[in-house]
Amino acid sequence: MAASVQGGRTGNLPAEANSFIGRRAELAVIAGLLGTERLVTLTGPGGVGKSRLALRAAHAARVGLPGGAWLVELSELRNPDLLTNAVAQATRLAEQTLRPLLQAVCEHLEGAPVLLVLDTCEHVLDECARVVQELLANVPQLRVLTTSRQPLGVPGEQLLTVAPLPLGERDDAVALFAARATATVPSFALTDANRAHVAAVCARLDGIPLALELAAVRLRGFPSDRLLEGLGSRFDLLVSPARPRPARHQTLRTAIGWSHELCTPLERLLWARLSVFAGGWDVEAAEFVCHGGPLDAEEILALLASLTEKSIVARDGQESPVRYRMLDTVRSFGAEWLTGLGEQEAVRRRHRDYFRWIARQGETEWLGPGQRMWAERLSAEHANLRLAVDECLTAPEPETALELTGSLWYFWFACGFTEEGRAYLERALRRAPKEGGPEHTLAVWAHRLVTVVPDDLEAAESVSAAYVWLAEERHLPVPALPLTGASLAVRGESARSAVLYGSVGQAPAGHGGAEFFQLLTLALQAYLLAGQAAFERCAAVAERLRAECAERGELWMRAWGDFFVALSGIGLGRAEEAVRHARAALAAKWRVHDRLGAAAVADLLVAAQAARGEDELAARLLGVSRRLWYAAGLPQLGRPDRTVFHREYERRLRASLGDARFSEVAGDGRALDPEAAIALALGGALDASDP
């Protein structure tokens, strides 16, 4: 075979310029695919390392290929008609012939298993697809490995999306940066003292290998502690002073700009407008926020698909509705273009208004069968909600911030973000006049609601007055709300709280906050009865709460009903019933992303399992409970030296199991990740159905 051996070696693969870091899983996948498939394409955004990964995979595959492994670099090729010439030249086809050149290349590659690597196909995509299809049809033992920012679209093509490097302090992104930094500045060393800072630099650059290598080079002139600060203008900072890398990789701006040049004008416009999203978005959000001018809403789905094919946008999982995201580096490039277009203010305002509408829709539908959907949707949109709130807080009209932060009361209160919600509400209220319309009333009400959970419960005693204002604005019946009594009860003043509690019959009718407080009234009554050890009455009220919630398809408040039924079961010596209801409460809390509530229910499960005599399981769940408090973002509540509950049950279980065994099983529980911890606590599959 003419192409088999040249200059004493098989193929034309260049030597690797420096050490190869990570990608073991990807290399294994590529090796497997090349063993069974004939065309493999590595896709991904610019600078993610497709070319280097393909070269490494080709070096590994060459050992078993008598016909060799041949690299065809296409980045400098501007005329698609010369693609076949580039393949002929790279594979050392020296024959001059009057036959069609592609036919000659096919014959040149015949005879033994051979690998052809076509690197950087996206700008000559159609011709690459044609040539590859012809080669595969006529060279039976040929394997083709391509790199491209979008698929070739050839039948039988197998795709592998190359992601950025993992970002943990001991993961590949940090290892790559450290290796390149040491090569650049020999005095550099990765230590425990600078590891977190290096990890922050890597995270700021999305773990993109090109960006990490360019950043490492900058250590020649930048102190490492200032590098992160300089990355705010990353496209200007990350410029390579060396020339060996391809022109498209000389700077990060050029690498991303290469993708930009491959886009149509409408794709570029959509890319720029999508840069206002934080975290991700779905099609509905993109259509609302990004339409306008030459870009019709009806075109956005097709343009999103095209940007996804070109590795500018990525699908975020397979869930429905489909969500999309961009790397922060790609987003920053689009944001620069949006500013250049003079559209930044208008598009950010549409983003803000869309999420104001989402917040209002969620409030309307929260107490119903869509509650889990809304919890998941708002959790997915958390970063966008924060951005919208921040935008409202800079708007000249203070009412927009009051309305948005107030409308999200159910998200702050029920989904585990009370501290964040309180901080936002305080900022909104500081900007607003002391007295005002319904937006001000709503924000005051929401702010005082979220103070029920944190330690400063005295502020909660004015919730009743705030709700009176809100009810008057919304023309609802005005109840005597029980939060003053709840505040007193939590401080241990049970007798006084019972006097101030008020009647359940005074609960308001209506929707939104009014309906929520109707249920909250029952939950607080159960709470107060439990505090007075009136467990039969507590269970009866809690069952009524569960029934009221079941009618609405509501999960979050119903979980508190299960909680109090379980608590009453422990008090009445019905441990099996307590475990069933506690598990139902935990499943529901986890489904609606209430991590704080899940941690509290996990504590109850410790007591329930201990009451059953399952001391080892109770000890393991005590470790799980501490793990969940950390997951809730309140580690101090899960520390054994801070929590009376934990101290008491640790003492009991240590006495029962012995110090060594207790420490072992509690440590096992604490070591679990949150999902595994929940699975252990539930004793099986996640299920929020009736016990």
Side-chain angles (χ1 to χ4, degrees):
M1 174 178 172
S4 61
V5 178
Q6 298 290 341
R9 65 176 182 153
T10 304
N12 71 336
L13 300 181
E16 295 184 88
N18 47 27
S19 59
F20 187 87
I21 306 293
R23 301 291 195 194
R24 285 188 292 273
E26 292 92 334
L27 287 169
V29 171
I30 295 169
L33 288 173
L34 289 176
T36 59
E37 308 295 337
R38 300 192 63 205
L39 172 60
V40 178
T41 295
L42 308 183
T43 64
V48 82
K50 301 183 295 295
S51 298
R52 185 64 191 276
L53 179 59
L55 179 61
R56 182 71 163 188
H59 273 291
R62 184 179 61 180
V63 177
L65 296 170
W70 302 87
L71 174 65
V72 187
E73 296 184 295
L74 302 176
S75 61
E76 304 301 324
L77 185 69
R78 290 293 178 265
N79 185 349
D81 295 336
L82 298 179
L83 179 74
T84 304
N85 299 72
V87 175
Q89 182 178 1
T91 57
R92 315 281 172 77
L93 175 59
E95 176 184 359
Q96 300 294 321
T97 177
L98 295 177
R99 293 174 299 158
L101 184 58
L102 187 54
Q103 180 183 343
V105 170
C106 290
E107 293 178 3
H108 179 57
L109 295 176
E110 285 181 341
V114 60
L115 174 66
L116 189 65
V117 182
L118 300 180
D119 185 31
T120 316
C121 298
E122 56 268 6
H123 61 301
V124 286
L125 197 68
D126 292 341
E127 185 64 8
C128 277
R130 186 187 73 81
V131 169
V132 166
Q133 200 160 0
E134 189 74 18
L135 288 170
L136 292 174
N138 291 283
V139 187
Q141 297 196 71
L142 173 67
R143 297 284 190 273
V144 180
L145 176 63
T146 73
T147 73
S148 177
R149 301 188 190 189
Q150 64 185 110
L152 272 63
V154 172
E157 179 182 28
Q158 300 297 311
L159 300 177
L160 176 63
T161 300
V162 181
L165 293 172
L167 289 170
E169 289 188 14
R170 309 217 173 248
D171 282 329
D172 293 339
V174 169
L176 176 64
F177 181 90
R180 301 300 184 255
T182 301
T184 299
V185 181
S187 61
F188 177 86
L190 185 64
T191 66
D192 289 341
N194 66 11
R195 188 181 295 274
H197 181 80
V198 170
V201 169
C202 295
R204 188 74 175 87
L205 295 173
D206 294 311
I208 298 175
L210 171 63
L212 298 177
E213 296 196 2
L214 293 174
V217 171
R218 295 301 298 172
L219 288 178
R220 290 174 182 164
F222 256 82
S224 60
D225 58 354
R226 289 192 56 209
L227 186 57
L228 184 61
E229 178 184 343
L231 291 179
S233 54
R234 72 189 77 181
F235 295 113
D236 298 321
L237 178 67
L238 301 185
V239 179
S240 172
R243 299 302 300 176
R245 65 175 73 247
R248 71 185 190 281
H249 285 171
Q250 286 297 316
T251 71
L252 186 60
R253 185 189 300 278
T254 306
I256 305 299
W258 176 273
S259 291
H260 199 257
E261 291 177 7
L262 299 172
C263 293
T264 67
L266 285 181
E267 289 169 351
R268 294 175 188 174
L269 180 59
L270 180 57
W271 177 352
R273 291 178 177 176
L274 289 171
S275 70
V276 301
F277 286 101
W281 65 88
D282 58 22
V283 174
E284 179 187 82
E287 289 175 344
F288 185 96
V289 174
C290 298
H291 81 281
L295 189 56
D296 293 333
E298 293 77 12
E299 299 176 281
I300 286 177
L301 178 58
L303 290 169
L304 273 174
S306 182
L307 289 175
T308 302
E309 281 197 347
K310 293 177 179 177
S311 300
I312 293 157
V313 164
R315 283 182 59 136
D316 198 1
Q318 300 300 316
E319 292 80 9
S320 181
V322 176
R323 290 186 64 80
Y324 298 86
R325 58 181 171 80
M326 283 192 294
L327 293 174
D328 191 51
T329 305
V330 176
R331 178 184 287 106
S332 295
F333 189 94
E336 286 193 3
W337 274 83
L338 189 66
T339 300
L341 293 170
E343 292 192 352
Q344 186 179 42
E345 183 178 346
V347 180
R348 290 190 65 147
R349 188 164 54 248
R350 287 204 297 273
H351 176 279
R352 177 200 71 186
D353 290 343
Y354 175 77
F355 286 100
R356 286 171 63 196
W357 176 75
I358 287 292
R360 291 195 299 269
Q361 286 293 107
E363 183 189 18
T364 301
E365 300 177 19
W366 175 252
L367 291 178
Q371 186 179 80
R372 181 184 174 191
M373 180 276 291
W374 276 108
E376 292 178 350
R377 183 172 188 181
L378 267 67
S379 294
E381 299 290 10
H382 194 177
N384 282 310
L385 289 169
R386 285 172 170 162
L387 190 63
V389 171
D390 288 337
E391 186 73 12
C392 287
L393 287 168
T394 63
E397 312 86 9
E399 294 80 10
T400 59
L402 293 170
E403 178 205 32
L404 180 54
T405 55
S407 295
L408 285 170
W409 61 265
Y410 59 98
F411 182 61
W412 310 131
F413 189 72
C415 296
F417 299 105
T418 53
E419 290 291 339
E420 178 180 322
R422 181 168 60 166
Y424 275 133
L425 284 158
E426 286 173 354
R427 289 176 60 191
L429 288 166
R430 279 197 300 268
R431 296 182 69 241
K434 294 300 181 183
E435 300 294 335
E439 295 87 1
H440 185 271
T441 299
L442 180 63
V444 170
W445 167 62
H447 175 256
R448 292 175 182 172
L449 172 64
V450 297
T451 64
V452 173
V453 176
D455 292 335
D456 59 339
L457 290 169
E458 293 203 8
E461 296 187 17
S462 56
V463 167
S464 298
Y467 188 76
V468 169
W469 303 336
L470 183 69
E472 289 173 350
E473 292 284 353
R474 296 185 174 186
H475 306 292
L476 299 172
V478 180
L481 289 177
L483 296 182
T484 299
S487 174
L488 292 169
V490 171
R491 294 202 299 270
E493 299 181 44
S494 297
R496 186 176 170 213
S497 71
V499 173
L500 295 179
Y501 175 71
S503 168
V504 175
Q506 293 174 296
H511 299 285
E515 192 171 6
F516 174 76
F517 270 106
Q518 183 178 2
L519 301 177
L520 184 60
T521 298
L522 290 169
L524 289 171
Q525 184 178 15
Y527 175 85
L528 295 170
L529 291 169
Q532 298 167 28
F535 293 122
E536 291 283 5
R537 293 170 60 201
C538 173
V541 172
E543 287 288 5
R544 179 179 169 188
L545 172 61
R546 292 179 72 249
E548 293 276 353
C549 293
E551 286 184 9
R552 298 166 170 83
E554 198 275 348
L555 286 176
W556 185 86
M557 190 66 79
R558 176 182 169 185
W560 287 121
D562 279 304
F563 178 94
F564 288 115
V565 171
L567 181 60
S568 298
I570 294 173
L572 295 168
R574 299 197 287 256
E576 296 291 341
E577 175 184 302
V579 168
R580 289 198 308 274
H581 282 279
R583 283 177 169 171
L586 180 60
K589 288 296 185 186
W590 198 250
R591 283 182 182 277
V592 296
H593 304 276
D594 182 2
R595 297 197 170 204
L596 183 64
V601 178
D603 279 350
L604 186 64
L605 264 174
V606 173
Q609 294 292 5
R612 293 179 66 220
E614 297 283 352
D615 286 356
E616 284 210 357
L617 179 55
R620 189 168 281 109
L621 290 175
L622 193 65
V624 163
S625 168
R626 292 174 186 167
R627 182 71 181 87
L628 293 178
W629 283 114
Y630 276 90
L634 293 169
Q636 70 276 11
L637 293 180
R639 285 177 50 184
D641 61 335
R642 294 287 184 89
T643 307
V644 173
F645 175 90
H646 283 192
R647 284 202 305 272
E648 175 62 19
Y649 272 89
E650 180 171 339
R651 183 189 63 77
R652 292 186 192 181
L653 295 169
R654 279 188 186 276
S656 171
L657 301 173
D659 287 344
R661 185 58 180 162
F662 171 83
S663 297
E664 180 183 352
V665 294
D668 289 344
R670 192 163 51 249
L672 296 173
D673 64 53
E675 290 290 344
I678 291 294
L680 173 65
L682 294 177
L686 190 66
D687 184 10
S689 60
D690 282 331

